[in-house]
Amino acid sequence: MALGLAPQPGHAQQANTTGSTVATPGGGTSGGTPADGTGAGTGATGNTGTTSTSTTASTAGASASSQPSQETAAPATADPSKVSTKTDDVQETKEAANGATDPQKAPLLVPGGAIDGKLYPKLFQDKFTDTATARGLLHWDVELKEDERLAFSYIVPPKQGIQRMDSTLQIIPFIIDQEGHNCVAQKSTDQEDNTNFAAPFTGYISSPRVGGQDQECKPGKFKVSLERRGAIEPSMEIPFEFMLWKVPRTSEEPTAAASTNATLTTDDSPAVPLTMADERKNAKLIGSGNYSGTLEPNKLQWFKVLVSEGQRLHVDVNASPIELERNADTSQPISLEWRVVGPTFNPVMTTGTTDSVPYDNVSVSSKQAVGIETVTNPIQWPNLEKEQGSGVGEFLSGEQWVALRYYRPQATANTQPLKFTISLAVSGTPLSVPKFVDNLTGQAATDAKRQEAVAEESQSKTSPRFMVRSNSTPGQLWTWAMVAAIVASIGAVGGVGILRGRGKEVSLFH
């Protein structure tokens, strides 16, 4: 696992999320404002080299050190029996979610959840259209009962043919109740603040458990929304996928892994060719080891790595020097990008093993090789209950998707592929997986069992089943125009939750 030259920092250190906050149409807040500066993270941007820092108040949650101690360890082995979910033989059952630009016409979607102790997220697909406009917003409705908690995660991959983008291109998720409360208790997003769209946008948010004496977010219908901010030209369709599921409780308290950040001993075995796929759903499972490959300019590639409960994933990346064609445009950064994405599209942060700074890219050079050794936090279910600190959102063990992309602006037919090597390993002793308490009933449970029967016929007995069922029943009409006004009032309320991607804080209400 050779270390090359220092790369550019990637996404920002995760911070905390606050509870729900009442937002008024005029942009004011009541009941505790996120505009007072809390909730911002500490981190560094990618290619701009700037940093932003602010503090957060301490809140309850599973503890993990932001500056873990170091120790040398031999590579561990992932245990397939000790994972929360498995995706290698997932039935990719998905339908168009048909998100509405008018909040009052949002379709009702039925989220997944747990049944028979298994997790069944529901997988949906949709698309942004008319991207040359400054912003686009899609809405869906979800019903939540007392004590239910909703998880919403998404992935928006880059698309070929993009010629220009606004410097503020962002993807922003929302969960808003019928009274206009911001119902986001936990958030982890990978948000770009530059013009490249170099890698997929990924993000995860979850609501608090609704109801209860001290909870502003009450049972009923909730508006789940995804917003694009910043124009993309020429105008095109940008497809994306997202998952909805009710977060189950566990029958016993899961064990949390130690915070020690193990530095692996060097593996000098020869690199073998890396098998990659053009589409996420076709990604192959790759074991620990040293790999080599080439990447065509701006072509997104995928593979998967198994990480057991409580283990860390080590990703060490090295990019060879590139050959620049004559009169090549180097005014924009040229980079090798990578993203680790959890089974439910939840972002998984990779940080430097020596400095604990988040990295998700290296700036490629024509003169010398560049590289970095990175490692994730322990991937474990207790992170789902954390409100701040490292590891927020990195909660689902199993097969983690890894995306690679050689970002080369103004690439031509003469642009050469990028040669690279990547070393993969896991560390840590696998822990017991959480025992989920069933929370699907009625038609949702029937759908889950039906999907499981179909999957078993395909010899896929151990994986979670992704189910999709669209329901356009209008239900009770509320004053969603007020909600739309809240979302549309740009900059009205300060940031809530944790953002990572480029060290920027973005409000949930703009």
Side-chain angles (χ1 to χ4, degrees):
M1 297 186 180
L3 178 64
L5 299 179
Q8 293 292 331
H11 33 235
Q13 186 70 31
Q14 299 190 50
N16 81 308
T17 66
T18 66
S20 59
T21 300
V22 179
T24 58
T29 61
S30 61
T33 171
D36 59 6
T38 61
T42 302
T45 66
N47 296 313
T48 60
T50 60
T51 60
S52 62
T53 305
S54 64
T55 59
T56 58
S58 176
T59 58
S63 63
S65 173
S66 60
Q67 295 293 331
S69 59
Q70 300 286 329
E71 67 178 24
T72 301
T77 301
D79 184 347
S81 69
K82 293 186 176 181
V83 298
S84 297
T85 174
K86 186 180 179 184
T87 61
D88 61 343
D89 54 0
V90 163
Q91 298 290 310
E92 290 271 344
T93 305
K94 57 185 177 182
E95 297 177 2
N98 300 318
T101 56
D102 183 348
Q104 296 188 28
K105 297 180 180 179
L108 180 65
L109 302 183
V110 180
I115 185 170
D116 296 335
K118 298 179 182 178
L119 189 61
Y120 293 83
K122 275 197 178 180
L123 176 63
F124 298 87
Q125 62 181 0
D126 216 318
K127 59 188 176 183
F128 290 115
T129 60
D130 193 17
T131 61
T133 58
R135 65 200 299 258
L137 188 60
L138 293 175
H139 305 279
W140 309 272
D141 283 344
V142 172
E143 293 272 8
L144 291 180
K145 300 177 181 178
E146 183 83 15
D147 196 50
E148 289 186 332
R149 176 183 178 186
L150 180 67
F152 169 40
S153 49
Y154 58 88
I155 183 167
V156 186
K159 189 174 181 179
Q160 300 282 31
I162 294 175
Q163 298 178 4
R164 192 194 72 82
M165 287 167 289
D166 285 351
S167 60
T168 55
L169 181 64
Q170 296 169 333
I171 303 295
I172 316 292
F174 302 88
I175 300 176
I176 302 172
D177 75 358
Q178 55 190 345
E179 301 297 332
H181 298 128
N182 162 35
C183 294
V184 174
Q186 191 182 51
K187 182 174 183 178
S188 176
T189 63
D190 183 7
Q191 299 199 28
E192 305 287 341
D193 68 349
N194 52 41
T195 60
N196 58 28
F197 201 174
F201 285 92
T202 58
Y204 150 81
I205 59 176
S206 64
S207 72
R209 294 199 176 274
V210 301
Q213 183 175 359
D214 300 324
Q215 180 54 251
E216 291 176 326
C217 299
K218 302 300 182 184
K221 189 176 289 187
F222 288 75
K223 196 68 63 181
V224 177
S225 307
L226 197 63
E227 181 180 13
R228 169 191 56 81
R229 295 182 187 169
I232 301 174
E233 296 180 349
S235 184
M236 61 179 64
E237 294 182 349
I238 302 291
F240 62 89
E241 297 173 301
F242 66 95
M243 294 188 189
L244 293 172
W245 47 288
K246 296 177 182 179
V247 178
R249 292 190 180 275
T250 56
S251 59
E252 58 187 45
E253 191 69 22
T255 302
S259 61
T260 300
N261 185 358
T263 300
L264 294 185
T265 55
T266 301
D267 177 7
D268 295 324
S269 60
V272 298
L274 177 63
T275 301
M276 298 178 288
D278 294 343
E279 296 185 64
R280 175 196 57 79
K281 66 179 181 179
N282 297 328
K284 302 299 183 183
L285 185 63
I286 301 299
S288 296
N290 297 330
Y291 297 90
S292 62
T294 59
L295 291 170
E296 298 291 335
N298 302 319
K299 186 176 181 180
L300 190 63
Q301 297 284 274
W302 294 91
F303 61 91
K304 295 184 295 186
V305 182
L306 183 68
V307 182
S308 296
E309 188 77 10
Q311 288 187 322
R312 297 174 182 267
L313 174 63
H314 296 252
V315 182
D316 303 347
V317 181
N318 283 272
S320 299
I322 59 173
E323 180 180 342
L324 291 175
E325 58 272 24
R326 179 175 295 182
N327 300 322
D329 182 356
T330 58
S331 60
Q332 299 184 55
I334 301 173
S335 60
L336 171 57
E337 303 278 338
W338 67 90
R339 298 293 187 273
V340 180
V341 184
T344 57
F345 303 156
N346 47 296
V348 178
M349 181 171 59
T350 54
T351 62
T353 57
T354 59
D355 57 13
S356 296
V357 173
Y359 296 96
D360 57 15
N361 68 82
V362 289
S363 294
V364 178
S365 170
S366 62
K367 300 179 180 180
Q368 51 200 343
V370 293
I372 183 67
E373 295 181 356
T374 69
V375 64
T376 70
N377 293 291
I379 298 175
Q380 55 191 348
W381 189 255
N383 288 341
L384 191 73
E385 302 301 330
K386 294 178 65 173
E387 295 181 353
Q388 69 171 22
S390 61
V392 171
E394 297 158 17
F395 51 82
L396 203 56
S397 59
E399 288 148 359
Q400 313 293 310
W401 283 295
V402 180
L404 294 175
R405 191 178 190 227
Y406 171 31
Y407 176 67
R408 182 68 190 275
Q410 309 301 325
T412 69
N414 296 324
T415 301
Q416 297 298 307
L418 171 69
K419 296 180 179 180
F420 71 95
T421 59
I422 186 169
S423 298
L424 305 168
V426 295
S427 64
T429 302
L431 303 175
S432 298
V433 297
K435 297 179 180 179
F436 299 127
V437 176
D438 294 357
N439 63 1
L440 288 186
T441 58
Q443 187 62 47
T446 300
D447 289 348
K449 289 183 177 180
R450 181 183 300 116
Q451 183 62 29
E452 183 174 36
V454 171
E456 287 178 348
E457 292 177 1
S458 302
Q459 297 181 348
S460 303
K461 297 182 180 180
T462 60
S463 68
R465 317 302 172 204
F466 292 121
M467 304 171 295
V468 179
R469 183 164 69 93
S470 296
N471 188 337
S472 57
T473 303
Q476 182 180 3
L477 292 179
W478 289 309
T479 58
W480 287 114
M482 179 187 74
V483 175
I486 294 170
V487 176
S489 58
I490 297 176
V493 180
V496 180
I498 61 103
L499 302 178
R500 70 181 195 190
R502 306 296 171 188
K504 293 292 184 178
E505 180 182 3
V506 181
S507 170
L508 286 178
F509 293 97
H510 291 259

